Amino acid sequence: MTQPRTLSAPQEAILEAGISHPDPAAYTMVNAIIVDGVPAKALRQAATDTAARHDALHWILNLDDRYRISASAGLGPALVPVEETDLRSLDPADSIATVEAWMATQRAAAYDLWGSGPRIRFALFHLPDTPSGPSTVCALTTHHLYTDEHTLQLLWSEIVRRASTEPSSTPTSPDLRYSRWAEASTSPAAATSARTAAEAVAQRCKAHETRPYPKYLDRPPAPDAYGQQTRALGPVDTAEVSARLSVGPAAAYVAAVAQAVAEQTGHGRIVLHMPMSLRRTAAEASIVGCFVASALLPIRVEPTGDRLIQHCQQALDFASDHAHARPGLLSRSVGRPQISLAVEQPATARRLGAVTWSSFAAPNAGPKHPLSLQLSASATGPGRLRASWTPATLTQKQVTDLLERTTDHLSRLIAKG
């Protein structure tokens, strides 16, 4: 038996975007951590128990004879398969390369959203032992409909905590909080608020260019034909400029990208697409599910230096406040921005008692927009600025120039004094 579920507003938007995207694997998610000091059996059980507890990870999509989409979930714990691969006989470098190849293959595979099988799958790769004991890569494959980046970190933390403690004999109750949030996100009041937000965003985007780059090719390329380039970043410390101007780190990142695009294209008013979370409360910060919305970020690049950073912070605040805007209304009134910018957290090592874990390098993905930029930075360690783009949008030379301009502007914007 199953119970009906209501798809949230972010899920509806991702489902629509996934159906229309030329790459069938665009929203497949593959993520992994390396865990040291936990027996494989405990890690396997923790992954199974954690995934089974979260109702939002097991919704099945249904399509009726009138092509209406609905969701449902089972009444009992869902099956969560875990496959295991023993790599302990390999050289450490070869074992990591094997995991990387597996992740790349999974990432490039289309996710069957309409099947009745498990919505999330785990894989354990047993690496050569370390001085602290067993070393294991714990990886998962799912779809963006079920998880966002914050959810992945919640899952990994819960899995490691479960694996590091004695198992409880008390059965855990299913977590239905996302289901309740999803219903609220599509209520009549929420729909009215989303329309009002879309109107405000459309008004703010007037006189801004959503497609600053002209098409390089007349005909679109094959779905899997895209370019990608990564530029390594050294430590990027935004603490001084953030404290002096009362802004967040993302304001400097957005300012650097906006300046680079404006210089390269000649457009001083651009619209960026930026994924933003609709988690608004401390309670929502602990809920597993997809809360990511597609926010539009209109930027005016006429001011420079500190004024530009402050302007970008104001734009980020506006985008965050209106991230619930209805996507369909925005696409009709504003269009689809050509450039997306995702600001991501760099990988950091974490510890729970004697157990340590860190994020495994995620496989590269194709662009969800004609030009997709991913920026991660840290004040103490390495970061990266990655670009992926369709050949119909930019050339390799243009992308190289854009990344160089962005990193140069970022260095100047955060320079002390």
Side-chain angles (χ1 to χ4, degrees), residues 11-34:
Q11 287 178 313
E12 290 179 346
I14 287 175
L15 183 59
E16 181 179 348
I19 291 173
S20 61
H21 200 284
D23 180 4
Y27 291 89
T28 299
M29 296 191 76
V30 182
N31 199 264
I33 58 173
I34 301 178

Side-chain angles (χ1 to χ4, degrees), residues 277-344:
S277 175
L278 294 181
R279 290 179 171 89
R280 302 304 191 202
T281 67
E284 290 171 353
S286 65
I287 299 176
V288 164
C290 180
F291 287 79
V292 171
S294 302
L296 299 190
L297 196 65
I299 302 293
R300 179 172 52 86
V301 196
E302 283 89 344
T304 58
D306 286 357
R307 288 183 58 226
L308 176 59
I309 294 177
Q310 290 172 320
H311 168 70
C312 288
Q313 183 60 59
Q314 293 166 0
L316 285 165
D317 292 341
F318 173 83
S320 178
D321 291 341
H322 296 78
H324 61 292
R326 191 169 175 179
L329 293 178
L330 287 176
S331 63
R332 291 194 292 272
S333 58
V334 179
R336 181 174 172 82
Q338 189 178 41
I339 306 171
S340 68
L341 171 62
V343 177
E344 302 173 337

Side-chain angles (χ1 to χ4, degrees), residues 211 213-221 225-226 338 370 389-395 398:
R211 302 185 66 85
Y213 289 97
K215 280 192 174 182
Y216 175 62
L217 298 177
D218 292 332
R219 281 192 268 178
Y226 63 88
Q338 189 178 41
W389 69 97
T390 59
T393 308
L394 288 87
T395 66
Q398 286 175 310

Side-chain angles (χ1 to χ4, degrees), residues 29 47-48 50-52 54 56-59 78-82 111 117-123 139-143 146-147 151-152 155-156 159 288:
M29 296 191 76
T48 299
T50 297
H54 295 287
L57 298 178
H58 306 286
W59 295 6
L79 172 67
V80 182
V82 181
Y111 185 99
R119 308 289 85 188
I120 184 170
R121 294 177 173 85
F122 284 95
L140 65 82
T141 303
T142 186
H143 190 276
Y146 300 97
T147 59
T151 282
L152 294 175
L155 290 175
W156 294 136
I159 288 171
V288 164

